[in-house]
Amino acid sequence: GGGPGGQTAGVPGRGVVPGLVRGGAVPGGHTSGNCDLQVADMPATWGDAQLGTIFAAFGRIVTASLANGAGMVKFDNEKSAAEAVSSMNGLVLEGRRIKVELKRAGRPGMPY
């Protein structure tokens, strides 16, 4: 007789590290944990509030700012940011085709 009597080494749901990226690389990119978007070619009449409104459909926005047709949107998670890029890049707003991309960091002077 006698059972295995095993003990569990960890307790599920405990010791979660904030900001931990699970699964490694983000599909479709080499960036990990990037929640910041760069937005270009927006209608000149638009402001921060309108920018935030159109991107809010993809998730919780930390900050959104827009000036002279160029702006920045920061989400609270990278999944929302990636979905926003794939859905919004190339969208035509008031006759202007907007450009939305993940903000690149640590690669100065890299042309596209």
Side-chain angles (χ1 to χ4, degrees):
Q7 290 182 303
T8 50
V11 180
R14 302 280 306 262
V16 176
V17 179
L20 181 67
V21 178
R22 302 177 75 181
V26 178
H30 54 270
T31 314
S32 180
N34 195 343
C35 305
D36 297 322
L37 304 185
Q38 290 177 306
V39 185
D41 301 326
M42 293 290 292
T45 56
W46 283 43
D48 297 358
Q50 289 156 303
L51 182 69
T53 299
I54 65 169
F55 281 92
F58 302 98
R60 187 170 168 270
I61 292 175
V62 177
T63 181
S65 60
L66 182 65
N68 301 321
M72 189 211 74
V73 179
K74 182 181 181 80
F75 284 95
D76 69 346
N77 71 83
E78 63 191 274
K79 183 172 182 269
S80 294
E83 288 175 358
V85 170
S86 63
S87 297
M88 299 294 287
N89 189 35
L91 186 73
V92 177
L93 294 175
E94 296 183 15
R96 298 179 67 117
R97 185 177 300 276
I98 68 169
K99 184 175 186 178
V100 182
E101 61 186 9
L102 287 171
K103 183 177 178 184
R104 289 189 297 272
R107 295 180 63 164
M110 290 292 290
Y112 13 154

